[in-house]
Amino acid sequence: MLGLGREFKRLFGAERVRPFADGLTGGDQSLLELLDLQLLVQEGKAADIAAGRISAKDKPQRRLDAAVVWREVARRSGDAAALRKAAATAETACAGFDAARQPDAWARARCEQAFCTLLGAELFGDPELDAVAETAFREARTAARGGLSAPLADLGLAAVDARRQLAKGDAAAANAAAARFSAPIAALDALTRRFTAARGLAAEARLIRADLLCGWGARLQDEGLLKAALDDATLAVERLDSAYEPLTWARAEIARGQAMTLWGEAVGDIDAIAAGAAALATALDHLTRDHSPFDWARTQIALGQALQALGEASDDERAYERAVTCFDRAGLVLKDAPASPLRGLAASARAVCLARSAELTGDLAVLDAAEAAMKIELSNLRAGRDPAGWALAQVHLARLYEARLDITGKDRGERAAAITALDAAFEVFSEQGLRSLSIVAIDALSRLRRNASTEPRRAV
């Protein structure tokens, strides 16, 4: 499937792409996912040339097309420069449209600006950007008269509202937030015959909802929310053609595998966890690192988490080893994206897997490496920007200290260090309203203090 990108290279070659000023897709957004990252960058440059041509009569529209390409480049690569270029190009396109005479075109460009902002919040872990995106979506929704702009603005507003409530909302809030996606998804489905891009956008909308439901379900350990996420992702997979929509199909399969794994963990079904891991492995078979580095890294992390869950369910040390390999592979991409929350997630999960592996094998050298890596990762995290991520890293570091205590049976200051880290994490979780994570920190603190009180006193 994704070999089509390589076939484009063979047919056209880098030196033959340049004469095509309008690029390989001719402005058809639905064809972008057939291009690998290198060809996609070439497509962005071609779109810039087409928009800057003196003879171009529809410059704002061409600039909007270029912005869409550069946002996809940023999404696949995590490149801040590409995202800034996408946002600036969308802003220029918005300024070029007459809001009074071309309300839908202006609203579509404003939506593109907002989606660039949302992507920035996701890639770099800055939730303050959500408020900026919300303002842009509201302006676009007010101006929209029809076409794609109205459902896209509604979709963006639903996503921003769900993100805002995710940290503190309950199951009722999650279901209400998910219901807000139904109208824009139905509208995009209805527009698939008029706009070729609507089909892919409808699938993306379902995947956004599935991802948010997964986050809610994992935090609340709610089987119903996780099942709803699995249903959304499964429907997206069924409605996509892996031959013509390979990247969106792979993203949908990834979401399905993640939802299935989380649901299996929630209900204690090891077969469901294994099926989720198999789905993620299948997605990796159809997704290359060259085509979309960030999607590839996300899939490696998701597969690592699924293998970690299998290890927890079966006490299989080999599952933890394979999970560590997945996190290491993801690190090959994420080492160039130090600001990405994914980097901290991968590092934390890797530390936990190494701790469990060390507990099962009694290998202290594994713990030494995990502690060093975790401390380096903590030095790169900012508690002010990503408090929950920083607190999770503290919990995982405490887990490593606890593992050393369990293996050696000697306390050389590890217990006090673990308690200090957990106290700091609990304070953050409480401030953020993260009840389930607060319980994790409390349970770990209670376990450490209980074990300290039951240890026999040594004779002086």
Side-chain angles (χ1 to χ4, degrees):
M1 290 185 304
L2 297 182
L4 285 171
R6 290 188 290 273
E7 189 67 12
F8 271 134
K9 280 185 178 178
R10 186 185 69 79
L11 291 173
F12 297 106
E15 71 282 354
R16 295 180 63 188
V17 171
R18 293 176 190 144
F20 293 86
D22 294 334
L24 294 171
T25 66
D28 187 346
Q29 297 175 19
S30 64
L31 299 178
L32 291 177
E33 59 184 283
L34 297 176
L35 309 178
D36 68 12
L37 182 58
Q38 185 178 346
L39 284 174
L40 189 66
V41 171
Q42 291 287 343
E43 186 74 5
K45 293 177 179 177
D48 285 342
I49 292 171
R53 194 180 298 125
I54 296 175
S55 59
K57 297 180 180 178
D58 53 351
K59 286 189 177 184
Q61 182 59 48
R62 288 181 178 268
R63 288 195 174 100
L64 178 56
D65 294 340
V68 171
V69 177
W70 286 114
R71 177 162 63 89
E72 180 64 14
V73 171
R75 184 181 181 185
R76 295 194 204 176
S77 65
D79 185 1
L83 186 58
R84 286 194 296 270
K85 186 175 184 62
T89 305
E91 183 179 8
T92 304
C94 193
F97 288 118
D98 187 332
R101 298 177 59 186
Q102 301 168 287
D104 286 322
W106 183 90
R108 179 68 185 87
R110 194 74 175 110
C111 280
E112 185 59 30
Q113 283 183 274
F115 279 118
C116 288
T117 307
L118 278 186
L119 181 59
E122 177 185 341
L123 289 178
F124 309 117
D126 188 353
E128 293 181 3
L129 293 175
D130 287 343
V132 178
E134 183 178 25
T135 299
F137 281 127
R138 289 195 185 283
E139 292 176 356
R141 188 63 185 91
T142 301
R145 297 291 181 270
L148 287 174
S149 55
L152 285 179
D154 288 336
L155 171 63
L157 289 171
V160 170
D161 180 62
R163 284 187 182 188
R164 182 185 297 115
Q165 296 187 49
L166 180 59
K168 55 184 178 181
D170 56 12
N175 286 315
R180 289 192 62 183
F181 286 81
S182 298
I185 288 174
L188 288 169
D189 281 335
L191 290 170
T192 52
R193 292 187 178 181
R194 289 175 54 195
F195 303 98
T196 56
R199 177 184 171 89
L201 291 171
E204 289 286 351
R206 288 189 173 89
L207 296 183
I208 291 172
R209 181 166 64 179
D211 183 60
L212 289 164
L213 285 170
C214 274
W216 242 308
R219 185 173 69 83
L220 301 172
Q221 286 298 291
D222 188 297
E223 299 172 21
L225 294 176
L226 293 171
K227 184 62 168 61
L230 178 58
D231 291 343
D232 255 344
T234 301
L235 183 58
V237 170
E238 292 173 350
R239 292 194 174 192
L240 292 166
D241 189 328
S242 60
Y244 296 99
E245 300 154 309
L247 189 52
T248 305
W249 179 89
R251 288 168 176 163
E253 187 69 2
I254 292 163
R256 189 176 75 87
Q258 286 180 301
M260 193 177 300
T261 299
L262 290 169
W263 181 80
E265 283 187 276
V267 301
D269 187 342
I270 193 171
D271 290 334
I273 298 173
L280 292 165
T282 299
L284 275 174
D285 288 339
H286 295 86
L287 182 66
T288 67
R289 180 179 167 187
D290 290 339
H291 198 91
S292 180
F294 248 58
D295 284 300
W296 184 83
R298 284 191 185 94
T299 314
Q300 293 288 355
I301 292 173
L303 179 56
Q305 291 172 324
L307 291 168
Q308 180 183 349
L310 280 175
E312 292 288 351
S314 62
D315 283 336
D316 185 355
E317 193 266 335
R318 292 173 300 175
Y320 290 113
E321 288 182 357
R322 293 169 183 163
V324 169
T325 300
C326 290
F327 297 132
D328 286 339
R329 288 173 180 162
L332 296 174
V333 171
L334 299 176
K335 67 181 181 180
D336 297 324
S340 173
L342 286 177
R343 179 172 174 173
L345 177 63
S348 297
R350 183 180 185 276
V352 172
C353 287
L354 287 172
R356 289 292 292 129
S357 179
E359 287 174 341
L360 292 173
T361 62
D363 190 347
L364 290 176
V366 173
L367 273 184
D368 292 336
E371 282 183 30
M374 197 70 255
K375 288 175 181 177
I376 291 172
E377 193 58 40
L378 265 171
S379 68
N380 292 327
L381 286 172
R382 296 182 182 178
R385 170 168 288 187
D386 183 14
W390 179 86
L392 272 174
Q394 294 287 356
V395 171
H396 297 320
L397 182 59
R399 184 70 184 84
L400 294 176
Y401 289 140
E402 186 179 1
R404 185 176 295 278
L405 282 169
D406 292 340
I407 293 171
T408 64
K410 298 178 181 179
D411 185 0
R412 295 185 174 89
E414 288 89 356
R415 190 182 308 279
I419 290 174
T420 300
L422 288 168
D423 280 334
F426 175 70
E427 184 177 347
V428 171
F429 293 148
S430 299
E431 290 175 353
Q432 297 291 315
L434 302 174
R435 183 175 179 275
S436 60
L437 292 177
S438 297
I439 293 173
V440 170
I442 289 173
D443 288 345
L445 280 167
S446 300
R447 187 170 59 248
L448 283 165
R449 288 168 175 156
R450 182 173 61 250
N451 291 342
S453 64
T454 57
E455 284 181 356
R457 295 181 179 274
R458 295 184 178 87
V460 179

